[in-house]
Amino acid sequence: MICRIDPERVLCKRDPMIYGQFLEHFHRQVYGGVFMPGHELADEEGFRKDVLEALRRIKTPVIRWPGGCFVSSYHWEKGVGKRVKVFDKSWRVEDDNSFGTDEFIAYCRKLGCEPYICLNAGTGSEEEMSNWMEYCNLDHEGEYAQKRIENGHREPYNVKYWSIGNENYGHWEIGAKDAKSWARLVLETSKMMKRVDPDAELSAAALTDIDWNVNLLSTAAERLEWISIHSYWDFMGPNHIAATYEQCMAYTHDLDRSVRQVRGLLNAFGLEKQIRIAYDEWNLRAWHHPNIHTVKQASRKEDYLTPRDKNDDNSTYTVADAVFSACFLNMILRNADIVGMANFAPMVNTRGCIFTHDKGIVLRPTYHVFELYTRLMGDEIIDLYGDESPLYEVVSKEGEKVQVAQVDVLATKHSEDGTIAVSLINKHATETAQVTLKLNAEGRACCVETLCGQSSDDYNDVDRNPVVPFENDAAAVVCGDEITITLPAHSVNVLTLK
Ligand code: AHR
């Protein structure tokens, strides 16, 4: 397979927020994940230092919080000042409520990332949502900014990113809405929020469903800078059956469908210069929480609560998750002109890239994809053209034969020094792949880092760590204006030319 790279033809520039993360009050993401006051591994504010360090290493640019479904019955005022535990009707658990807005902002400041607040458009009113912005962004005017000052925070937080609602289109969501009432709610909420802080950027929950988005965009687009979409691919059912490696590769077929559809709608409305896509929840693996998004609610905790512990099984998150996630990030980078943010769902525990246990953390294979991409990939997407990838037949989880491109290649450039960085993914479970890049590498040092584990089902855990990147320079042979790279089976590779 031969690919030509033209470093001078820059297609677009990616927003660093495409490497964002998501933190929800679900299972052990907050309590037991980022926030463990009094734990030997926590700092003076109760934040796990090892988690903070791991997130710093992948240059986490933005964190979306507090949900997700959780937010659709969350009243932010109960989470500031004097706290009492609250019952979370979204997940049917008592929430400790000691981690609220002030703690979240402190966490983002300590990490050095942007806070992104998702508002309660389920049971919350336009007023309650815009009051949250008063609390965060007004200097001193009014009772909510005063409340922030009384809580010890004199300076406004200046939170820039806000999402009106989570998945209010879904029957499972508390306070679900129909398309027309949703559009009106977004219109009125955005009106009030822009009166509080006209510089804040607003998103609204959307779908790839035409009717929902047509109502939203024709009624409420005027004050939006973003539109939010979510995707999960492997729904593992009540018995927590994970898709196999090959079944996961089937999900890489038509990976850009949602982006294509929303882009088309934005273009149809002439909004493609005003509104960008925030893919603010994505993960190969859907979260495991049986018997909660159902009409009939289970009475016994062992039927709806205990099963959530299965999210903590690290053997679920294999090289397949890394290969899929790299393919997803390549798709996002190809669409970086319209996708400005993406948030891995979630960042810690559940299906996250970091797993915490009492003595430390496990960096799951997906973590190393973020580490490779944020450390090595450039900010400019450059033109790459040539042979189509050979096709690779896999059988989906539903038993259908699917032809997927075996190799996924994306070229980038660092605007500050011209370094070229190329992502080369070989999805095949057993066969190597050879790619020849045609570009002038004269006088450039060629390095390759590879992430592939020992097998396609390999994973990391408390007592094992085989899926880590390694230097694989021998994989590339430079000859004049050609570089020929041999890609190991089931591998994510980044080639850099400095
Ligand atoms: O499975 C977790 C849920 O996925 C999130 O809370 C929600 O936003 C999405 O449906």
Side-chain angles (χ1 to χ4, degrees):
M1 177 179 165
I2 296 175
C3 297
R4 286 163 177 71
I5 293 177
D6 181 355
E8 300 319 309
R9 190 153 186 278
V10 176
L11 302 179
C12 61
K13 190 156 190 167
R14 65 98 180 89
D15 189 316
M17 292 203 297
I18 62 150
Y19 297 119
Q21 299 285 336
F22 172 46
L23 174 67
E24 176 161 3
H25 287 242
F26 174 83
H27 203 231
R28 297 194 314 114
Q29 292 178 34
V30 174
Y31 309 107
V34 299
F35 191 56
M36 296 176 74
H39 191 278
E40 58 181 347
L41 296 175
D43 64 17
E44 68 290 349
E45 296 181 273
F47 304 141
R48 278 281 296 247
K49 289 178 284 191
D50 46 0
V51 172
L52 269 170
E53 187 44 42
L55 289 170
R56 279 193 194 99
R57 255 184 73 201
I58 57 174
K59 306 183 178 73
T60 302
V62 59
I63 297 178
R64 175 174 180 257
W65 170 84
C69 294
F70 170 82
V71 75
S72 290
S73 57
Y74 175 68
H75 295 289
W76 68 269
E77 278 191 81
K78 295 181 179 175
V80 294
K82 185 178 176 323
R83 314 288 169 85
V84 292
K85 293 181 194 292
V86 293
F87 184 71
D88 162 19
K89 294 187 180 66
S90 294
W91 297 117
R92 294 187 61 198
V93 292
E94 181 181 64
D95 185 279
D96 189 69
N97 201 26
S98 53
F99 188 93
T101 304
D102 297 333
E103 291 74 24
F104 172 60
I105 298 294
Y107 193 79
C108 292
R109 296 293 185 258
K110 188 162 265 190
L111 177 53
C113 76
E114 287 288 340
Y116 171 23
I117 292 179
C118 183
L119 296 156
N120 173 4
T123 62
S125 64
E126 300 90 322
E127 192 118 44
E128 180 182 1
M129 289 189 265
S130 55
N131 293 345
W132 199 354
M133 181 184 264
E134 286 191 41
Y135 181 83
C136 292
N137 290 6
L138 288 183
D139 181 68
H140 63 278
E141 301 88 338
E143 63 176 294
Y144 300 105
Q146 284 302 321
K147 191 190 285 269
R148 185 197 66 243
I149 295 168
E150 286 156 20
N151 290 338
H153 309 283
R154 171 59 198 87
E155 295 310 314
Y157 293 143
N158 296 325
V159 176
K160 183 175 178 182
Y161 302 105
W162 300 79
S163 171
I164 300 171
N166 179 54
E167 301 179 345
N168 301 83
Y169 44 78
H171 63 82
W172 58 84
E173 195 82 4
I174 288 183
K177 308 275 185 300
D178 62 38
K180 286 198 182 320
S181 49
W182 177 246
R184 290 298 309 180
L185 179 65
V186 171
L187 179 69
E188 292 310 314
T189 305
S190 58
K191 186 193 297 178
M192 291 184 81
M193 295 189 76
K194 289 288 186 177
R195 302 280 174 89
V196 174
D197 181 357
D199 299 327
E201 296 191 11
L202 304 183
S203 177
L207 262 173
T208 51
D209 169 80
I210 300 279
D211 182 48
W212 181 270
N213 285 357
V214 164
N215 272 285
L216 175 62
L217 296 175
S218 54
T219 306
E222 56 208 20
R223 297 183 185 86
L224 297 180
E225 285 82 15
W226 298 88
I227 190 167
S228 291
I229 57 174
H230 297 171
S231 290
Y232 297 92
W233 285 264
D234 183 21
F235 287 81
M236 299 161 63
N239 300 322
H240 201 245
I241 308 296
T244 64
Y245 179 88
E246 294 230 347
Q247 291 169 345
C248 290
M249 292 309 108
Y251 293 126
T252 68
H253 175 67
D254 204 19
L255 203 48
D256 68 342
R257 181 173 54 237
S258 292
V259 169
R260 225 176 36 239
Q261 289 171 333
V262 175
R263 177 197 285 274
L265 269 174
L266 291 172
N267 287 337
F269 279 93
L271 291 167
E272 71 281 4
K273 297 297 179 210
Q274 173 198 329
I275 292 179
R276 289 192 288 169
I277 297 169
Y279 219 125
D280 55 23
E281 282 186 39
W282 70 272
N283 196 311
L284 165 64
R285 312 286 185 184
W287 302 7
H288 192 60
H289 37 64
N291 302 315
I292 188 80
H293 284 171
T294 46
V295 171
K296 180 159 175 36
Q297 290 297 305
S299 306
R300 304 183 315 160
K301 284 187 166 47
E302 53 266 42
D303 293 331
Y304 72 93
L305 204 50
T306 320
R308 298 178 192 176
D309 293 341
K310 289 181 179 173
N311 289 288
D312 286 343
D313 178 355
N314 287 310
S315 67
T316 310
Y317 315 102
T318 69
V319 169
D321 295 72
V323 171
F324 175 91
S325 296
C327 291
F328 180 86
L329 289 175
N330 281 3
M331 182 278 290
I332 293 292
L333 287 162
R334 284 190 192 94
N335 289 279
D337 62 311
I338 194 98
V339 182
M341 186 191 306
N343 304 72
F344 193 57
M347 73 185 188
V348 186
N349 296 326
T350 312
R351 308 301 197 193
C353 59
I354 300 168
F355 171 80
T356 63
H357 55 92
D358 198 43
K359 295 296 176 209
I361 56 176
V362 174
L363 300 177
R364 290 168 170 168
T366 44
Y367 177 87
H368 295 295
V369 174
F370 278 98
E371 199 279 328
L372 282 174
Y373 272 61
T374 55
R375 175 164 53 92
L376 298 175
M377 296 297 279
D379 54 328
E380 293 179 332
I381 316 309
I382 54 178
D383 201 7
L384 173 137
Y385 52 95
D387 296 344
E388 291 289 314
S389 161
L391 295 180
Y392 162 44
E393 181 169 288
V394 293
V395 178
S396 74
K397 200 173 189 178
E398 293 69 35
E400 287 156 17
K401 288 182 180 174
V402 181
Q403 298 286 330
V404 296
Q406 178 185 343
V407 178
D408 182 326
V409 188
L410 176 95
T412 67
K413 181 169 75 172
H414 290 255
S415 55
E416 80 275 7
D417 65 3
T419 296
I420 306 280
V422 185
S423 158
L424 303 107
I425 303 165
N426 177 14
K427 302 178 202 173
H428 205 286
T430 55
E431 291 174 16
T432 62
Q434 202 162 75
V435 177
T436 298
L437 300 176
K438 290 185 78 74
L439 81 160
N440 179 4
E442 193 79 25
R444 290 179 182 260
C446 176
C447 301
V448 177
E449 292 201 33
T450 295
L451 178 71
C452 62
Q454 305 297 321
S455 75
S456 58
D457 295 331
D458 223 345
Y459 63 93
N460 295 333
D461 208 338
V462 177
D463 52 1
R464 51 177 289 136
N465 198 40
V467 190
V468 289
F470 60 91
E471 287 206 9
N472 189 14
D473 299 348
V477 176
V478 184
C479 181
D481 67 350
E482 287 191 355
I483 304 171
T484 301
I485 310 110
T486 303
L487 307 177
H490 54 77
S491 68
V492 177
N493 309 268
V494 179
L495 177 145
T496 52
L497 290 168
K498 280 189 182 299

